[in-house]
């Protein structure tokens, strides 16, 4: 009973802090990012409807213009969108009346076609509808259109190129992250020649296509919207790291390892993994992994570069700052100058102590929002020089 009372009290405090940040003048977007990242995320869809627009710097009171064209007749993507939306039945809540679901599917088609018509530089990809439907179910058609349009021109921009080159480049960050934390697992996967294609649907749908519980999907969306565009690949990495023993117990061949990893468990410890992903981003930012992932020239064409424009336009605290401040706040002062996550090479079969440390950091992060996480508005980071 006491645990339940403590949980309720903590939840009420967080709701109060979120509303305080929303009611500040100007809105305290830095605090909202912190709330979206911390344990439980934004808690309810009602709060998400207020906070998600702030995280994306979208005016919720400024509806998107309605196209006067018959987009279903004119769009070259209509038939593919229609097929994908028809196959999206499981993305709607169980027990939803058929008439209501069909109405939402029609709205889903309209949102996608309008965004593509307004942004001819964007190219539809299969899986895009999995992201759009999440926003539709949380915030409704009008606001979903505005939010997904902003997301499509920033966080998702690389996936909407005419080719998959930049998408493949982002996937190429996966193995260097794993290598930094667990060289033995990395080498096993390299020997199996499994590649990274098993994580493609995770990345391009923000895990919406592969998770069956909508609560887990929106929790991840809270996290991703508050963070750097490459955070989903870090989350993909921590899933693989979490399943280390399962992978190492596999036959070391592509078919076996790919089959295992492509079947994502539905009972993952999401809050712990979110905390670990944030810690890994701080320790191994994309700028340090770019050389291993691909040539720097290619890296500069990814969403990280367009995200700079987004940050400047929004005039908000850099979202990755919350992760660094959180990480530093959780370390003892004498540990802040040390490398917390190391990459041993003397013995490839020694397990990294870092996983235990990351769990400890994650548990601390999930316990309370510490005073050490308070934001320094003038503090800026340069991750991509």
């Amino acid at each position: 009973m006491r645990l339940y009372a403590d949980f309720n009290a903590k939840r009420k405090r967080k709701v109060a802090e979120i509303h305080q940040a929303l009611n500040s003048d100007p809105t305290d977007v830095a605090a909202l990012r912190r709330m979206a990242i911390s344990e439980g995320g934004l808690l309810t869809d009602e709060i998400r409807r207020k906070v998600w627009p702030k995280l994306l710097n979208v005016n919720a009171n400024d509806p998107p213009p309605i196209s006067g064209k018959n987009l279903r007749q004119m769009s070259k993507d209509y038939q593919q969108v229609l097929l994908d939306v028809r196959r999206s039945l499981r993305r709607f809540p169980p027990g939803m009346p058929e008439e209501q679901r069909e109405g939402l599917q029609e709205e889903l088609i309209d949102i996608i076609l309008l965004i593509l018509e307004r942004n001819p530089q964007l190219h539809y990809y299969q899986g895009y509808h999995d992201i759009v439907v999440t926003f539709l179910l949380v915030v409704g058609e009008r606001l979903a259109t505005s939010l997904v349009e902003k997301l499509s021109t920033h966080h998702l921009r690389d996936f909407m190129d005419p080719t998959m080159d930049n998408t493949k480049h982002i996937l190429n960050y996966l193995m260097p992250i794993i290598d930094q934390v667990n060289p033995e697992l990395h080498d096993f996967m390299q020997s199996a020649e499994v590649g990274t294609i098993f994580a493609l649907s995770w990345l391009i749908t923000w895990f919406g296509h592969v998770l069956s519980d909508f609560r887990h999907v929106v929790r991840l969306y809270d996290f991703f919207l508050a963070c750097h565009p490459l955070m989903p690949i870090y989350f993909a990495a921590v899933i693989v790291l979490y399943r280390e023993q399962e992978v190492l117990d596999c036959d070391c061949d592509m078919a076996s390892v790919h089959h295992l990893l492509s079947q994502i468990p539905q009972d993952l410890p999401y809050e712990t993994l979110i905390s670990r992903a944030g810690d890994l981003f701080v320790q191994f930012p994309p700028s340090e992994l770019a050389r291993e992932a691909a040539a720097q020239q290619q890296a500069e064409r990814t969403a990280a570069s367009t995200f700079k424009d987004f940050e400047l336009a929004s005039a908000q605290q850099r979202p990755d700052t919350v992760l660094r401040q959180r990480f530093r706040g959780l370390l003892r002062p004498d540990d802040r100058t040390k490398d917390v996550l190391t990459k041993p090479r003397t013995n490839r079969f020694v397990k990294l102590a870092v996983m235990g440390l990351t769990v400890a950091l994650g548990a601390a992060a999930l316990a309370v929002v510490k005073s050490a996480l308070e934001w320094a508005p003038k503090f800026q980071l340069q991750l991509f020089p």
Side-chain angles (χ1 to χ4, degrees):
M1 183 65 71
R2 182 173 180 178
L3 287 175
Y4 181 75
D6 289 345
F7 173 80
N8 275 344
K10 182 179 177 182
R11 183 183 177 91
K12 288 180 180 178
R13 283 198 304 272
K14 185 168 191 180
V15 170
E17 290 179 7
I18 292 173
H19 285 298
Q20 181 180 359
L22 284 168
N23 294 329
S24 298
D25 188 15
T27 301
D28 191 348
V29 178
L32 294 178
R33 291 193 190 281
R34 176 162 50 90
M35 296 296 144
I37 291 171
S38 64
E39 182 182 12
L42 296 175
L43 302 176
T44 70
D45 286 352
E46 180 183 0
I47 293 176
R48 290 183 178 99
R49 284 190 283 271
K50 298 175 182 178
V51 175
W52 281 4
K54 301 298 182 183
L55 297 180
L56 286 173
N57 194 32
V58 168
N59 185 350
N61 297 317
D62 185 16
I66 299 175
S67 176
K69 303 176 183 177
N70 187 336
L71 298 181
R72 298 193 182 204
Q73 287 187 355
M74 297 178 58
S75 175
K76 62 180 176 59
D77 297 301
Y78 172 62
Q79 289 301 325
Q80 185 61 58
V81 172
L82 179 63
L83 289 173
D84 291 343
V85 169
R86 283 177 175 171
R87 290 193 291 254
S88 66
L89 297 183
R90 69 179 189 83
R91 291 303 317 280
F92 294 89
M96 174 179 282
E98 182 178 0
E99 184 178 352
Q100 181 183 1
R101 174 183 52 76
E102 290 176 349
L104 288 170
Q105 287 180 302
E106 293 301 311
E107 292 178 2
L108 179 56
I109 294 172
D110 290 338
I111 292 172
I112 294 172
L113 295 183
L114 178 59
I115 292 173
L116 294 175
E117 192 265 338
R118 283 171 46 81
N119 300 272
Q121 78 279 15
L122 302 179
H123 297 262
Y124 178 77
Y125 64 89
Q126 288 183 273
Y128 182 67
H129 69 289
D130 281 299
I131 288 183
V132 181
V133 73
T134 303
F135 283 89
L136 174 61
L137 291 173
V138 173
V139 305
E141 180 181 12
R142 183 184 65 82
L143 187 52
T145 303
S146 297
L147 296 182
V148 176
E149 182 170 26
K150 174 61 74 70
L151 200 69
S152 301
T153 55
H154 294 86
H155 294 67
L156 306 179
R157 179 64 184 85
D158 296 322
F159 310 145
M160 306 192 75
D161 276 348
T163 71
M164 288 189 64
D165 289 348
N166 277 337
T167 301
K168 292 175 183 175
H169 174 69
I170 295 173
L171 280 171
N172 285 341
Y173 279 84
L174 181 66
M175 295 306 294
I177 297 170
I178 294 171
D179 190 30
Q180 291 288 344
V181 179
N182 193 325
E184 179 189 356
L185 179 61
H186 169 271
D187 290 356
F188 181 90
M189 293 175 65
Q190 290 289 78
S191 296
E193 299 182 341
V194 67
T196 58
I197 197 67
F198 65 85
L200 177 62
S201 64
W202 306 357
L203 180 67
I204 65 176
T205 70
W206 277 14
F207 296 84
H209 183 72
V210 294
L211 298 182
S212 58
D213 193 325
F214 192 69
R215 295 172 301 172
H216 297 153
V217 175
V218 294
R219 173 64 187 103
L220 288 181
Y221 277 44
D222 292 341
F223 179 48
F224 295 153
L225 288 171
C227 293
H228 190 280
L230 292 180
M231 186 56 76
I233 202 66
Y234 282 81
F235 192 79
V238 298
I239 290 179
V240 177
L241 291 164
Y242 174 75
R243 304 185 69 190
E244 169 196 5
Q245 198 56 54
E246 292 179 80
V247 175
L248 295 179
D249 287 344
C250 266
D251 292 334
C252 189
D253 61 71
M254 188 274 288
S256 299
V257 179
H258 176 84
H259 177 73
L260 172 72
L261 291 175
S262 61
Q263 305 298 313
I264 190 168
Q266 297 298 310
D267 59 347
L268 294 170
Y270 291 95
E271 295 297 340
T272 300
L273 296 182
I274 285 171
S275 181
R276 289 181 182 177
D279 294 342
L280 289 182
F281 184 93
V282 171
Q283 285 293 293
F284 311 114
S287 56
E288 294 183 7
L289 301 174
R291 181 173 297 177
E292 295 182 60
Q296 184 63 36
Q297 180 180 2
Q298 176 72 6
E300 290 173 353
R301 294 205 302 268
T302 67
S305 59
T306 61
F307 195 61
K308 283 186 178 180
D309 299 332
F310 174 55
E311 292 166 341
L312 292 173
S314 62
Q316 298 168 358
Q317 180 94 8
R318 293 182 67 113
D320 38 278
T321 307
V322 68
L323 298 172
R324 290 182 177 272
Q325 291 187 341
R326 166 185 164 282
F327 189 80
R328 290 172 178 172
L330 291 169
L331 294 178
R332 297 188 303 274
D334 57 340
D335 285 338
R336 295 181 187 179
T337 58
K338 300 177 182 177
D339 289 331
V340 177
L341 302 181
T342 57
K343 185 178 179 181
R345 288 297 177 189
T346 55
N347 185 345
R348 303 286 285 182
F349 296 97
V350 174
K351 305 294 185 187
L352 289 180
V354 64
M355 294 309 290
L357 175 60
T358 307
V359 170
L361 290 172
L366 300 179
V368 291
V369 179
K370 294 188 174 183
S371 58
L373 300 181
E374 292 302 320
W375 292 74
K378 294 182 180 179
F379 181 63
Q380 296 291 326
L381 298 171
Q382 183 62 43
L383 285 183
F384 294 86

